[in-house]
């Protein structure tokens, strides 16, 4: 059964989920953040089937989050290194972990804590406004079409409702 691609949706979350595709991909990235680089190490740490791991690593390399580099020539062996794009995914992993720590950890507390090396304290990820640094919540954020949103879609009634385009009380002033 072929899955529907979300790669061309006008939504960065949908495109990201299209890339991730399943639960193994973020776990492969988590292991890369722990310093795992070699196929056998990923396989051993995750207990993932070799064919599944091969596919996930191939997809991460193809998407530019990891690069496959030769570390031995006889026989040829590769390691998988995070690219700039892959390293930038750390915030996603940290935010998902913080949510899990809050809502899924048992009474004993989070199973893993993140030590911020710069200040020496344990830290949780927070999502804040890039301008004022205040927390972003579903109650204080209003989605609106950005410059990459397809203009043709803005003609659809359901999209106009989603972004409150016909509601002058909720419409952002600079949205045309």
């Amino acid at each position: 059964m072929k899955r529907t691609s979300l790669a061309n949706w006008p939504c960065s979350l949908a495109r990201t989920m299209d890339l991730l595709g399943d639960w193994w991909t973020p776990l492969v990235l988590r292991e890369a953040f722990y310093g795992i680089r070699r196929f056998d190490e990923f396989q051993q740490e995750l207990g993932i089937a070799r064919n599944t791991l091969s596919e996930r690593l191939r997809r991460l390399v193809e998407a530019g989050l990891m690069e496959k580099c030769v570390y031995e020539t006889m026989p040829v062996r590769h390691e998988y290194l995070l690219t700039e794009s892959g390293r930038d995914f750390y915030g996603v992993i940290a935010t998902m972990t913080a949510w899990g720590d809050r809502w899924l950890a048992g009474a004993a507390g989070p199973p893993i804590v993140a030590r911020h090396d710069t200040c020496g304290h344990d830290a949780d990820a927070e999502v804040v406004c890039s301008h004022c640094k205040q927390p972003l919540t579903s109650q204080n954020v209003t989605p609106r079409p950005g410059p990459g949103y397809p203009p043709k879609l803005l003609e659809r009634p359901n999209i106009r409702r989603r972004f409150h385009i016909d509601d002058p009380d909720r419409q952002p002033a600079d949205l045309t």
Side-chain angles (χ1 to χ4, degrees):
M1 182 173 153
K2 185 173 167 79
R3 72 180 179 98
T4 302
S5 174
L6 306 174
N8 294 318
W9 279 34
C11 172
S12 293
L13 176 60
R15 292 173 183 172
T16 301
M17 294 311 297
D18 187 74
L19 169 66
L20 297 178
D22 67 321
W23 62 70
W24 285 118
T25 304
L27 294 176
V28 169
L29 288 166
R30 180 199 66 189
E31 293 303 314
F33 288 120
Y34 286 166
I36 300 299
R37 295 177 167 195
R38 298 182 179 167
F39 185 94
D40 289 338
E41 294 171 330
F42 282 111
Q43 202 276 324
Q44 181 179 346
E45 292 299 319
L46 293 169
I48 184 175
R50 296 179 74 79
N51 62 329
T52 302
L53 177 57
S54 291
E55 172 58 24
R56 297 321 176 268
L57 289 169
R58 183 198 61 74
R59 189 179 337 155
L60 288 166
V61 168
E62 187 176 279
L65 276 81
M66 298 185 93
E67 60 183 335
K68 185 176 177 179
C69 301
V70 174
Y71 73 88
E72 188 175 295
T73 56
M74 291 291 233
V76 175
R77 294 186 179 267
H78 298 91
E79 60 184 5
Y80 296 85
L81 305 174
L82 291 163
T83 62
E84 180 181 1
S85 173
R87 290 187 300 274
D88 199 38
F89 199 80
Y90 180 78
V92 176
I93 298 289
T95 303
M96 290 174 68
T97 300
W99 183 89
D101 288 347
R102 178 172 181 190
W103 296 103
L104 304 175
I112 299 169
V113 294
R115 172 74 50 145
H116 185 221
D117 295 335
T118 302
C119 71
H121 291 91
D122 291 345
D124 293 317
E126 294 183 353
V127 179
V128 299
C129 174
S130 59
H131 179 74
C132 71
K133 307 303 180 206
Q134 293 298 308
L136 296 178
T137 68
S138 61
Q139 293 83 26
N140 68 13
V141 172
T142 302
R144 63 189 191 102
Y149 202 88
K152 185 80 174 156
L153 288 180
L154 291 174
E155 298 171 13
R156 293 176 36 185
N158 63 320
I159 301 300
R160 297 181 74 76
R161 278 191 305 277
R162 171 186 289 167
F163 294 122
H164 307 284
I165 291 174
D166 298 320
D167 183 354
D169 293 333
R170 301 251 345 245
Q171 183 178 358
D174 59 339
L175 180 63
T176 56

